[in-house]
Amino acid sequence: MSSPTNMTCPNVTFQNPEQAVFIGVYSVVFIFGLTLNLTALVVFFRNSKSRSHIIVYMIHLAFADILLVCTLPVRIYFHSRLGDPHPIICEISGLIMLSNMYSSIFLLTCISFDRCIAVCFPLSSRVREGRKKAWCVCLGIWILTIATSLPIYIKKKQANMNKSNTENFICFGGFPFYATETAPLVSTLIIGFGIPLIVMILSSWGLIRAISKSTAVQTSDLVDSAKIKRMIITNLAIFLFCFLPYHIMLLILSYKPSCSVLTAYRYSLMVACLNAMLDPVAYYFTTETFRREMEFEAVCKIRQMNSHSSDGNNRSRAPLTT
């Protein structure tokens, strides 16, 4: 196994074909990601009167994605080889990217979980009260991601100050030393990705199971259960497509540091950035679909309760059983 401290990869990312790929993808993500997320924020704030708890998560998700895409011009400039950005600009933009990438992961997890409990337990007062704490959860996510990202910046600053010269500094071409250390790596793979992935999978399974067992949905022509299931699976697939390769390559890079693996790691980071462009599209349509579906379920539930109360039966049957 080669040592990362002694590993040098000349021209590993500076070949013309690779330059074009990075520049093209980052440019597309920046333009569409910024436009779509700003549009989403405008829509959310214009409909503030009807804002639901899940919209709170989506507003914060849009902010996180906007902050992420705003770091991409620095990477586009770097790969264009027009000049090397200042080391501080490189470090801060890298810090913002990673911090908001994990903010997006946690917020996407919260959105999935919130939908699951809202559909599976539509009449639970405890669930309703818990969902009202959405803004507290978002605040906790921002504090967590910022607090865990700052050590990366501090570590890099200390490393640069200890170097006798900084002539070999490469903005985004260096080895991610801190991220591949044992403690940060384990916490990243478990807390930053593993637990959110498990929650996403269980929430998706719970939603599909609840919809499949809902008599109101299955017997109604107003709600397309197959479409809802496809959207749930699509959202989970986007999550896996964007974030799974990055964390796999991070793990491989920590155990087998090489120039080829380092290049694959950079490509996986580029793929992870695609999420900022895909989020507003995927979650806008699913939010609209779930809103209509839950409104329909609420009407059916009220009718069922009125019917039972008129017959003297106080039993309550939820339309979505778990």
Side-chain angles (χ1 to χ4, degrees):
M1 182 185 298
S2 59
S3 174
T5 55
N6 298 325
M7 186 178 65
T8 57
C9 302
N11 300 324
V12 72
T13 60
F14 303 141
Q15 301 173 6
N16 290 330
E18 293 180 355
Q19 297 275 46
V21 172
F22 282 108
I23 294 171
V25 173
Y26 282 137
S27 298
V28 170
V29 174
F30 173 73
I31 294 171
F32 286 95
L34 186 62
T35 302
L36 292 173
N37 282 288
L38 285 175
T39 303
L41 284 179
V42 171
V43 172
F44 293 150
F45 283 112
R46 287 183 64 180
N47 297 276
S48 58
K49 292 183 179 179
S50 59
R51 186 181 304 168
S52 63
H53 305 303
I54 203 167
I55 298 300
V56 175
Y57 292 117
M58 298 189 70
I59 289 174
H60 286 265
L61 177 62
F63 272 121
D65 288 339
I66 288 173
L67 290 174
L68 189 150
V69 299
C70 284
T71 66
L72 298 183
V74 181
R75 293 182 178 269
I76 295 170
Y77 181 79
F78 167 74
H79 289 289
S80 299
R81 304 311 298 155
L82 299 175
D84 292 328
H86 194 278
I88 295 179
I89 296 177
C90 297
E91 292 166 359
I92 293 178
S93 63
L95 175 69
I96 294 174
M97 170 178 278
L98 288 177
S99 175
N100 286 279
M101 183 176 73
Y102 286 102
S103 295
S104 298
I105 289 176
F106 290 134
L107 290 166
L108 289 170
T109 305
C110 290
I111 290 172
S112 181
F113 180 73
D114 185 84
R115 281 190 178 134
C116 180
I117 61 174
V119 173
C120 294
F121 309 100
L123 297 177
S124 172
S125 58
R126 184 175 298 179
V127 169
R128 286 199 300 269
E129 289 300 318
R131 295 183 69 208
K132 292 179 181 179
K133 303 296 190 300
W135 67 273
C136 294
V137 176
C138 292
L139 178 61
I141 289 173
W142 287 111
I143 293 174
L144 175 64
T145 53
I146 293 173
T148 53
S149 300
L150 282 177
I152 299 177
Y153 178 75
I154 296 173
K155 190 96 173 184
K156 286 183 177 181
K157 291 296 292 181
Q158 291 177 346
N160 290 335
M161 290 176 64
N162 294 333
K163 288 181 180 179
S164 58
N165 61 76
T166 59
E167 294 178 358
N168 295 326
F169 177 83
I170 303 176
C171 186
F172 299 115
F175 187 88
F177 294 103
Y178 180 80
T180 53
E181 291 180 359
T182 302
L185 178 66
V186 171
S187 61
T188 296
L189 294 178
I190 295 177
I191 301 175
F193 181 71
I195 294 176
L197 177 60
I198 293 173
V199 174
M200 287 279 292
I201 293 174
L202 292 178
S203 299
S204 300
W205 173 79
L207 280 169
I208 293 175
R209 180 174 177 268
I211 292 169
S212 299
K213 289 193 172 186
S214 172
T215 304
V217 173
Q218 300 302 323
T219 58
S220 172
D221 296 330
L222 300 177
V223 178
D224 190 345
S225 61
K227 181 179 180 181
I228 296 174
K229 293 176 184 178
R230 286 196 301 269
M231 287 184 174
I232 295 170
I233 295 173
T234 300
N235 289 334
L236 182 60
I238 291 174
F239 185 88
L240 290 171
F241 171 76
C242 291
F243 299 121
L244 184 60
Y246 171 79
H247 290 89
I248 290 177
M249 293 312 305
L250 187 63
L251 180 62
I252 295 174
L253 187 63
S254 64
Y255 286 99
K256 189 180 179 181
S258 65
C259 294
S260 59
V261 175
L262 183 59
T263 300
Y265 164 80
R266 293 177 184 133
Y267 276 105
S268 68
L269 181 60
M270 179 184 67
V271 172
C273 293
L274 293 174
N275 186 257
M277 180 178 64
L278 299 174
D279 280 343
V281 177
Y283 280 87
Y284 171 77
F285 288 108
T286 52
T287 297
E288 289 298 307
T289 302
F290 271 97
R291 182 181 59 80
R292 295 190 186 99
E293 186 259 340
M294 290 182 66
E295 288 175 353
F296 177 78
E297 291 288 347
V299 172
C300 292
K301 180 60 183 177
I302 292 172
R303 289 176 179 175
Q304 287 180 1
M305 292 179 65
N306 291 337
S307 175
H308 286 302
S309 61
S310 63
D311 295 335
N313 187 352
N314 293 326
R315 293 177 303 168
S316 61
R317 293 183 302 160
L320 292 177
T321 58
T322 58

